Amino acid sequence: MDSANQDINLNSPNKGLRAGVPVEGAAGNTASTLPPGLTEEEAEELRTELIKVEEEINTLRQVLSAKEKHAWDLKKKLGLSPLHEFKQNITKGWQDVQTSNAYRKTQETLSQAGQKTSAALSTVGTAISKKLGDMRNSPTFKSFEDKVGNLKYKMAGGQGNGEEAHSATVPNPVQDNAPL
């Protein structure tokens, strides 16, 4: 195949044609067999119309390309870059999302869920505080607290830094040999 004679422009109405050799299905192809119910005269009209439509398509492509180039030049003169346009598109898209019903309903639902969660955590926190307060006032905790105070007194050698032992009920903490 001689590639020098082949039209490689994909927008060309002659795409796929080699110098003077028609390709099956290409515009202007005078095939000897016609589809059933189509006369030679009708086929020729259709071929002519196809050629005109393909030429119009190419013209429109050229006009569109010229318009796109002109738009690009105008944007360049205005200092609008693709990044700037991208930022504007993202901003507009985010605004559209925020004004949508689905977003507003979701936001309201999450807000209510947050309020309910906050109230539940507050209740749990109050319950834990109460339980810890009750536990601190229990005889077991008092006994433990006394033993820790005695241990601190023993570790300081009975001479602390001006502080007394926590337990006022134990007369001589040094002699207390009870296990922890």
Side-chain angles (χ1 to χ4, degrees), residues 158-171:
Q159 297 180 354
N161 53 1
E163 294 181 3
E164 304 252 348
H166 285 320
S167 175
T169 59
V170 179

Side-chain angles (χ1 to χ4, degrees), residues 67-116:
K67 294 281 186 186
E68 287 175 338
K69 184 182 182 317
H70 183 65
W72 175 253
D73 291 341
L74 292 174
K75 287 177 184 179
K76 192 173 179 182
K77 286 179 183 177
L78 289 170
L80 301 176
S81 67
L83 180 60
H84 185 288
E85 286 185 45
F86 179 72
K87 286 179 184 177
Q88 285 180 329
N89 289 343
I90 293 292
T91 301
K92 185 181 181 323
W94 180 241
Q95 288 171 349
D96 291 346
V97 166
Q98 286 179 323
T99 58
S100 72
N101 286 335
Y103 179 83
R104 281 187 270 144
K105 286 180 182 178
T106 303
Q107 187 178 26
E108 289 172 11
T109 302
L110 290 176
S111 176
Q112 291 172 356
Q115 291 170 357
K116 288 179 181 178

Side-chain angles (χ1 to χ4, degrees), residues 7 12 27 30 38 40 48 51 59 85 87 89-90 93 101 104 121-122 138 142 148 153 160 167-168 177:
D7 187 352
S12 169
T30 55
L38 196 62
E40 181 66 37
T48 303
I51 289 171
T59 302
E85 286 185 45
K87 286 179 184 177
N89 289 343
I90 293 292
N101 286 335
R104 281 187 270 144
L121 290 176
S122 176
S138 73
K142 291 283 188 190
V148 169
Y153 184 78
S167 175
N177 293 330

Side-chain angles (χ1 to χ4, degrees), residues 40-82:
E40 181 66 37
E41 191 175 288
E42 291 172 333
E44 189 58 37
E45 285 179 29
L46 291 175
R47 285 187 203 104
T48 303
E49 186 178 349
L50 178 59
I51 289 171
K52 286 180 184 178
V53 170
E54 287 177 344
E55 287 174 357
E56 289 175 7
I57 290 171
N58 287 328
T59 302
L60 291 172
R61 281 186 181 136
Q62 291 170 358
V63 169
L64 179 60
S65 177
K67 294 281 186 186
E68 287 175 338
K69 184 182 182 317
H70 183 65
W72 175 253
D73 291 341
L74 292 174
K75 287 177 184 179
K76 192 173 179 182
K77 286 179 183 177
L78 289 170
L80 301 176
S81 67

Side-chain angles (χ1 to χ4, degrees), residues 130-163:
K130 184 178 181 311
K131 201 65 166 168
L132 287 175
D134 292 347
M135 190 172 77
R136 185 154 194 229
N137 293 329
S138 73
T140 305
F141 188 83
K142 291 283 188 190
S143 172
F144 178 73
E145 190 176 32
D146 288 343
K147 289 181 182 184
V148 169
N150 289 337
L151 182 64
K152 178 180 172 190
Y153 184 78
K154 286 179 184 178
M155 296 298 280
Q159 297 180 354
N161 53 1
E163 294 181 3

